[in-house]
Amino acid sequence: MGEDSPTRYWKSWEERTSAATTEAGHDEFPEPLGGIVGELSRRSFLKAAGFTAAAALTSCTRTPVEKAIPYLLPPEEVVPGRSTWYASTCAGCAAGCGILVKWRDGRPIKLEGNPDHPVSHGGLCAVGQASLLELYDSSRLRGPLLDGKPASWDEVDRAIVARLEAIQQRRGAVRFLTGTLTSPTVQALLRRLLGRFRDARHVTFDALSSSAILDAHEKTHGVRALPHYRFQRAEVIVSLDADFLGTWISPVEFTEGYGAGRTPEAKPVRFSYHVQLESRLSLTGAKADRRVRVLPSEHGSILTHLAGRLAGKANLPFAPGPSEASPLPATLLDELADRLWEARGKSLIICGSQDVSAQVLVNLVNHLLGNYGATLDLAQPSFQRQGSDGDLEALLQEIHAGKVSALFLYGVNPLVELPGGSALASALKRIPLLVSLAPRLDETAGLAHAVCPDHHFLESWGDAEATSGIVSLSQPTLHPLGNTRSVLESLAAWGGRPAAAYDLLREHWERRIFPRQHREGSFQAFWDRAVQTGFAEVEPRRVQVKPFRTAAVRPIGRAERPPTGTFALLLYPKVGILDGRHANNPWLQELPDPISKVVWDNYACLSPAAAARLGLGEGEVVRLEVAAGDGKAVALELPVHLQPGQHDAVVAVALGYGRRGTERFAKIGPQWLLARPGVGADGLVGKDAAPLLHFQGGTLRYDRVGLRLTRTGATHPLACTQQHHRITTPKNLPLVGGEARPIVRETRLSLLLTDRAGGHTEGAQETEDLWPPDHPTPGHRWAMAIDLSACTGCSACVIACQAENNIPVVGKDEVLRQREMHWLRIDRYYAGEDEVDVIHQPMLCQQCDNAPCETVCPVLATVHSAEGLNQQIYNRCVGTRYCANNCPYKTRRFNWFAYAREDRLQNLVLNPDVTVRSRGVMEKCTFCIQRIQAAKIEARQRGVPLADGVIQVACQQSCPARAIAFGDLNDPKSQVAQWMQSPRRYRVLEEMNFRPAVGYLAVVRNRTETKGGAPHG
């Protein structure tokens, strides 16, 4: 944003519409001191006296003695207290990202992206970071179950094999229902097992399905495959409801590629033009250069009109035919067609719709533009989504008809991932043999005759070929915590050839993977290298792609719109919860959604205009009702959340909630203080929205029309953090263009090309003040720079910081009181009216040179170091909270309670290099001082200087967008020093002369004109 045209940013709809002053609603500690100050009742006095007495007695107990026993025979290459890193593969989803596992004293304590992995390039999403916690989840099954009772593996195997033999004799139907399997070894063992039966079939089902994309390519290219999308090669990107930076297929890989194509400092400048057409505000839409709200049902009509214009430019016979007017203005369609045509072979159009006809039109557009083989590769495809909704629908019909004799389930939970769960449960109970390989007793596993829990991926050997030609390895990092068993070993045992997972994996790699490479002469050398690096690059498994079949393309004319008085429904996944497989992870439940900033719940998102029309407010519970295929209605009750940027005729609901086992989270936090509000009778976190799904045209649909909303009169408080810790600019700040300098800034690419500063002027700093001269930093001076133009707001850094620094989960009650403990937060700002712009700003302790917190601490618990760090000394802190009140960035956290650490298994996730803080102290970001010190010690021991890039703080290392630079500001060649010299660099509240060590690079928008004070396309 140029300084001559400031845009007004706001964080929430309440802030946007209210006329409150800057002083209102920002109390760091809003609760009154009831019962302590003022009139003291007898009851309150006795209550306080009781707490005091209990605390005194507790403090008198003897501290238990802990003994450190040294190794009698130390394991090879293990040094107590030193960390070891192992390469592996993340299994948080089917994307197959490479990871490095930090191993310490016999257990993994941190996951980070593998920078050498060709899929993820070192990034790791929030789910990948948090999957470590699931290893230490005490709700995981400790061993196999047979008819609901614990049993030995021999007993379970004998029972399963005996029933399979009986089924084989009577030629019964055997079905194996799984999620996408990217493991070539598991696929081989599964084929061998099913090959023993006359009627056996493997059905793949993705709860977050992309089946329509695969079906469309079967129609147009003769091969059912998922293209490998290469966003780094695209100069123009058009996306229709595909959240490729958040949850669509492979977001870490796509974020890295997307960022590589948007580098304003590159010479020559590379900056793609991104248009997002969507119905709800997604993470991807928040980064778009131009965003337009459309209904999900309008995708086909938009694609038809766009394809017609491009076909005309290519002189090909395709016309939309008689239809209603396009949902988009003709001028916008003409502009899109012109931009795409000019970027032939360097453009990309994608769609998240499950309508096969719409996806066929997407293929046509990419074909007309010559994108196949350039920005999307079908000959060397992706295997990250392989589900077939048509096969799934046929299997469900077989199950309901009683034609399935044995059903195995792996990586799926159909009772809460599919519509008609109650009817399906009744049908599953009639199957003679139902086996689940679920790691915990989920809804479907609770019906199984045998539950054979698989290892966590950090406990087992495994592999994955998520993209053709890149085969990744997983290796165990600790002995299994329970009597679980690898899926490889289960398949081998039921197939009659039991063996260890390691032997099965090596055997398959030697026979099938090793011949696909020509680099190593021996298998042992090839295997050792793959184990060390975590992957092997081999000859891709190419598919035979046929010429494009234009006969498969049909124009889509009329868009189905909601009848009067109804809405369109859109079901979507959240960044942390996805399809619900991670609903039992408290780190992800308490992760603020990047857009709504709500934790611990799902809800019905409505635009403010739609809510105003219905007279609904935040947190009011409504009944959502749609007609089912059998004529009956499906209903669900959810609280309302007002979401700016959403289509006025759309209601959006997140999937993956209401899962079995989440009722235990109601106990998180100090329940003696206040019972958790708003919990339903079942106590589950959120509501399961899968009953609102439906099958149509051979695919599982996530959108439909005809949704009716009814007010219930109830309320359900939503724990929303968007108003917490809000930074305000006092009225006496220097004015620029009539307003105080904004917290976030943006500029246009066209302006940046003519003016390196993009219209940005450096903030004035005081030349005379009461502060002493700058703190001397003769050695290192640690600093951080964050590129807001690269940051997508994905929140991977938030979970990385939580895992690295032992930050506790506090529960919904405490979040409602503005007491969340995250040291790093992502502030989300809006600008505009209906088509809102969004900026994400990571906010952490700014390590100020003139730190206001240091001057007010009465016990010197926060002091400045010789390397420019604002240090927090926990043993000195007495909890006055003066520093938090004095912090202008609101980045300090007060530890109100000794948060639950009773789960000894889950305590294994704690980082021994970081103190577990006690109740009553302040804490904050430390720039991962433990990593700084470890790197300095290592450099000193080796006798080498500390090189730039050796130290990577947790948030920086995990960022898929490479938006964070950290290093020594005294080193002019360091990346952070170079970023600090960028003309786009500014500091938040620099006018106040706090002199923070954190700088931000302004957002760059690829726009050409200005409308209403804000740039628009």
Side-chain angles (χ1 to χ4, degrees):
M1 179 188 66
E3 298 292 354
D4 57 339
S5 57
T7 300
R8 181 192 173 191
Y9 290 95
W10 39 280
K11 293 183 69 174
S12 69
W13 185 249
E14 292 81 1
E15 179 185 337
R16 171 71 176 81
T17 55
S18 67
T21 64
T22 56
E23 291 79 15
H26 311 304
D27 187 1
E28 179 80 3
F29 312 105
E31 54 283 323
L33 301 175
I36 302 298
V37 180
E39 185 178 353
L40 187 67
S41 66
R42 180 176 180 273
R43 181 182 182 88
S44 300
F45 172 78
L46 292 176
K47 184 188 298 184
F51 290 149
T52 304
L57 291 173
T58 303
S59 64
C60 294
T61 58
R62 183 184 296 275
T63 302
V65 177
E66 296 184 4
K67 298 181 179 179
I69 303 175
Y71 286 117
L72 185 61
L73 296 174
E76 185 180 0
E77 299 179 354
V78 173
V79 179
R82 294 286 299 273
S83 297
T84 305
W85 294 88
Y86 293 94
S88 191
T89 305
C90 181
C93 68
C97 296
I99 59 173
L100 298 177
V101 184
K102 185 179 183 179
W103 186 91
R104 178 78 171 267
D105 297 335
R107 71 187 196 277
I109 60 172
K110 183 71 171 61
L111 303 184
E112 297 190 347
N114 184 348
D116 297 326
H117 198 277
V119 171
S120 51
H121 299 278
L124 192 61
C125 68
V127 167
Q129 294 280 346
S131 59
L132 173 67
L133 187 64
E134 297 170 18
L135 171 65
Y136 303 114
D137 186 358
S138 56
S139 70
R140 288 173 59 204
L141 288 171
R142 312 300 292 173
L145 303 177
L146 185 61
D147 295 325
K149 299 178 181 179
S152 67
W153 281 107
D154 288 340
E155 292 173 329
V156 172
D157 288 342
R158 283 197 299 269
I160 293 175
V161 171
R163 296 192 191 187
L164 286 176
E165 289 177 351
I167 292 171
Q168 186 178 22
Q169 291 176 1
R170 63 174 184 267
R171 300 185 178 182
V174 177
R175 301 290 182 263
F176 219 108
L177 179 62
T178 75
T180 287
L181 293 180
T182 58
S183 168
T185 307
V186 171
Q187 292 173 348
L189 290 171
L190 183 55
R191 286 193 297 268
R192 189 172 73 185
L193 172 63
L194 297 180
R196 300 174 53 194
F197 303 91
R198 289 180 176 270
D199 185 8
R201 190 164 71 248
H202 172 211
V203 177
T204 303
F205 154 60
D206 294 317
L208 302 178
S209 178
S210 295
S211 179
I213 300 177
L214 286 83
D215 293 343
H217 281 94
E218 188 173 28
K219 290 178 176 293
T220 59
H221 293 81
V223 55
R224 192 176 190 277
L226 180 70
H228 187 200
Y229 298 98
R230 303 183 184 275
F231 285 86
Q232 65 272 20
R233 300 180 181 179
E235 295 180 357
V236 178
I237 300 170
V238 178
S239 170
L240 290 88
D241 262 327
D243 187 14
F244 60 87
L245 298 180
T247 59
W248 193 69
I249 301 179
S250 185
V252 171
E253 177 186 7
F254 296 161
T255 298
E256 193 276 336
Y258 181 80
R262 293 170 70 88
T263 53
E265 272 78 23
K267 295 181 180 180
V269 172
R270 290 192 64 210
F271 210 91
S272 61
Y273 180 68
H274 172 202
V275 178
Q276 187 79 4
L277 310 174
E278 60 182 8
S279 53
R280 71 173 186 93
L281 181 58
S282 68
L283 203 64
T284 306
K287 292 299 296 181
D289 298 304
R290 182 162 191 174
R291 179 179 176 272
V292 181
R293 299 182 300 170
V294 299
L295 287 170
S297 58
E298 294 175 336
H299 294 162
S301 178
I302 293 171
L303 289 165
T304 298
H305 285 272
L306 183 59
R309 283 167 167 77
L310 292 172
K313 293 178 180 291
N315 296 319
L316 293 178
F318 176 84
S323 67
E324 63 179 18
S326 167
L328 296 182
T331 54
L332 177 56
L333 282 170
D334 292 338
E335 178 192 345
L336 286 179
D338 291 341
R339 283 183 178 268
L340 289 168
W341 188 253
E342 291 173 3
R344 295 189 300 281
K346 298 180 180 180
S347 58
L348 181 62
I349 182 165
I350 57 176
C351 181
S353 172
Q354 276 286 83
D355 184 349
V356 177
S357 299
Q359 293 291 351
V360 167
L361 288 167
V362 171
N363 296 354
L364 173 63
V365 172
N366 281 315
H367 170 69
L368 293 172
L369 294 171
N371 292 334
Y372 282 101
T375 57
L376 69 167
D377 192 346
L378 194 59
Q380 188 175 336
S382 164
F383 304 128
Q384 294 160 330
R385 297 274 178 92
Q386 301 173 28
S388 172
D389 293 346
D391 290 349
L392 172 66
E393 196 172 13
L395 173 61
L396 293 176
Q397 293 172 358
E398 287 183 321
I399 293 174
H400 286 292
K403 297 180 180 179
V404 177
S405 300
L407 178 63
F408 292 79
L409 303 168
Y410 175 52
V412 293
N413 186 5
L415 289 190
V416 290
E417 293 172 346
L418 293 174
S422 58
L424 180 58
S426 300
L428 291 177
K429 293 177 182 178
R430 299 193 297 268
I431 296 178
L433 176 60
L434 181 62
V435 181
S436 172
L437 284 78
R440 56 176 54 84
L441 203 62
D442 59 32
E443 290 79 359
T444 311
L447 304 178
H449 302 107
V451 183
C452 306
D454 186 22
H455 289 323
H456 189 276
F457 70 88
L458 293 174
E459 298 173 323
S460 177
W461 288 98
D463 59 357
E465 188 173 4
T467 301
S468 183
I470 302 170
V471 190
S472 304
L473 267 178
S474 299
Q475 57 179 313
T477 55
L478 81 170
H479 191 275
L481 297 175
N483 187 25
T484 55
R485 186 172 70 179
S486 168
V487 63
L488 296 172
E489 297 176 357
S490 293
L491 293 174
W494 302 333
R497 296 170 56 184
Y502 177 78
D503 297 332
L504 293 166
L505 194 66
R506 274 187 62 105
E507 177 189 359
H508 181 81
W509 274 58
E510 188 169 9
R511 288 190 301 108
R512 300 296 183 186
I513 308 298
F514 177 62
R516 295 168 58 189
Q517 63 86 42
H518 307 287
R519 180 175 180 177
E520 302 290 349
S522 69
F523 172 72
Q524 188 62 47
F526 170 70
W527 174 261
D528 291 344
R529 183 177 180 84
V531 172
Q532 180 184 12
T533 59
F535 66 95
E537 295 189 71
V538 298
E539 191 68 25
R541 291 186 290 170
R542 298 187 181 276
V543 298
Q544 295 297 323
V545 180
K546 296 180 180 179
F548 189 88
R549 295 182 61 249
T550 55
V553 182
R554 295 287 185 275
I556 300 176
R558 180 177 172 274
E560 186 180 12
R561 292 182 172 84
T564 303
T566 67
F567 290 84
L569 171 68
L570 178 66
L571 300 168
Y572 70 97
K574 281 192 178 182
V575 166
I577 303 301
L578 296 180
D579 56 8
R581 70 181 69 185
H582 303 290
N584 280 272
N585 192 316
W587 282 357
L588 295 175
Q589 288 282 6
E590 196 157 289
L591 175 69
D593 179 78
I595 297 298
S596 71
K597 296 300 175 184
V598 176
V599 302
W600 290 108
D601 266 311
N602 62 340
Y603 33 81
C605 290
L606 275 76
S607 72
R613 188 172 67 249
L614 298 176
L616 294 170
E618 184 82 7
E620 291 192 52
V621 178
V622 294
R623 178 182 175 87
L624 290 76
E625 190 171 356
V626 293
D630 55 4
K632 298 180 181 179
V634 180
L636 184 67
E637 292 187 359
L638 286 171
V640 167
H641 173 67
L642 305 185
Q643 181 56 64
Q646 182 157 310
H647 197 289
D648 294 338
V650 171
V651 176
V653 177
L655 294 164
Y657 284 82
R659 295 304 175 89
R660 181 176 180 174
T662 58
E663 63 273 11
R664 62 194 172 109
F665 296 141
K667 301 178 182 179
I668 293 179
Q671 297 301 305
W672 54 267
L673 188 64
L674 181 67
R676 180 181 176 188
V679 174
D682 54 9
L684 302 178
V685 176
K687 297 291 183 66
D688 178 23
L692 301 176
L693 295 165
H694 70 292
F695 285 93
Q696 181 181 339
T699 58
L700 184 64
R701 297 297 183 90
Y702 301 93
D703 63 275
R704 62 198 308 174
V705 297
L707 174 73
R708 296 189 179 276
L709 293 186
T710 307
R711 186 196 302 267
T712 65
T715 59
H716 179 97
L718 294 174
C720 184
T721 66
Q722 62 184 353
Q723 285 285 75
H724 297 186
H725 319 300
R726 182 146 62 99
I727 300 175
T728 58
T729 53
K731 295 179 180 179
N732 60 350
L733 278 182
L735 297 183
V736 178
E739 292 189 12
R741 289 184 180 273
I743 304 301
V744 291
R745 302 182 185 181
E746 68 174 83
T747 187
R748 298 190 304 278
L749 180 63
S750 57
L751 184 59
L752 196 67
L753 293 176
T754 57
D755 176 10
R756 292 186 65 246
H760 165 63
T761 57
E762 187 69 28
Q765 290 188 349
E766 297 292 338
T767 56
E768 297 182 3
D769 56 40
L770 298 178
W771 293 91
D774 289 346
H775 295 280
T777 54
H780 303 291
R781 184 185 180 189
W782 305 114
M784 179 180 289
I786 303 174
D787 188 352
L788 299 184
S789 193
C791 176
T792 65
C794 71
S795 300
C797 54
V798 177
I799 298 296
C801 177
Q802 185 165 20
E804 173 73 18
N805 295 295
N806 302 333
I807 297 174
V809 173
V810 303
K812 181 178 177 180
D813 283 347
E814 294 300 282
V815 177
L816 282 168
R817 294 184 178 87
Q818 303 188 18
R819 293 175 177 175
E820 68 272 21
M821 294 296 293
H822 292 130
W823 289 0
L824 168 64
R825 70 177 189 268
I826 308 293
D827 287 340
R828 187 261 299 112
Y829 292 90
Y830 294 128
E833 298 293 338
D834 296 330
E835 307 291 353
V836 295
D837 288 333
V838 182
I839 293 181
H840 300 282
Q841 183 183 58
M843 182 55 62
L844 63 161
C845 175
Q846 302 286 291
Q847 313 290 340
C848 307
D849 271 358
N850 296 341
C853 57
E854 296 176 10
T855 59
V856 295
C857 181
V859 292
L860 292 179
T862 175
V863 295
H864 216 77
S865 78
E867 295 183 347
L869 297 180
N870 178 256
Q871 297 179 324
Q872 186 70 28
I873 305 173
Y874 301 127
N875 288 342
R876 291 183 186 173
C877 182
V878 295
T880 63
R881 302 178 296 190
Y882 295 162
C883 57
N885 285 322
N886 223 39
C887 175
Y889 305 98
K890 301 306 175 188
T891 55
R892 290 177 164 265
R893 303 290 173 261
F894 183 67
N895 203 332
W896 287 88
F897 301 101
Y899 294 103
R901 300 288 186 189
E902 293 86 0
D903 191 334
R904 298 189 65 182
L905 178 62
Q906 198 166 86
N907 285 347
L908 293 176
V909 80
L910 297 176
N911 184 357
D913 292 330
V914 179
T915 303
V916 177
R917 282 77 60 189
S918 60
R919 175 183 180 182
V921 302
M922 295 299 306
E923 53 186 77
K924 65 168 189 70
C925 167
T926 64
F927 270 177
C928 289
I929 184 63
Q930 67 278 6
R931 295 192 175 204
I932 296 175
Q933 293 300 102
K936 289 165 61 178
I937 292 172
E938 183 74 16
R940 185 166 60 247
Q941 288 178 343
R942 294 187 176 186
V944 297
L946 190 60
D948 182 49
V950 171
I951 303 174
Q952 288 204 334
V953 294
C955 56
Q956 171 195 18
Q957 203 287 327
S958 68
C959 180
R962 296 289 172 262
I964 301 175
F966 174 82
D968 186 0
L969 207 56
N970 286 343
D971 178 7
K973 297 182 179 180
S974 65
Q975 183 185 20
V976 68
Q978 294 174 6
W979 281 24
M980 285 294 194
Q981 297 301 316
S982 170
R984 289 193 290 135
R985 194 268 302 158
Y986 74 98
R987 292 184 175 93
V988 173
L989 299 182
E990 57 191 332
E991 302 84 356
M992 301 300 291
N993 203 32
F994 302 129
R995 300 189 180 181
V998 179
Y1000 295 90
L1001 305 187
V1003 171
V1004 178
R1005 309 271 193 193
N1006 193 351
R1007 293 173 174 170
T1008 56
E1009 61 182 88
T1010 300
K1011 180 180 178 181
H1016 286 266

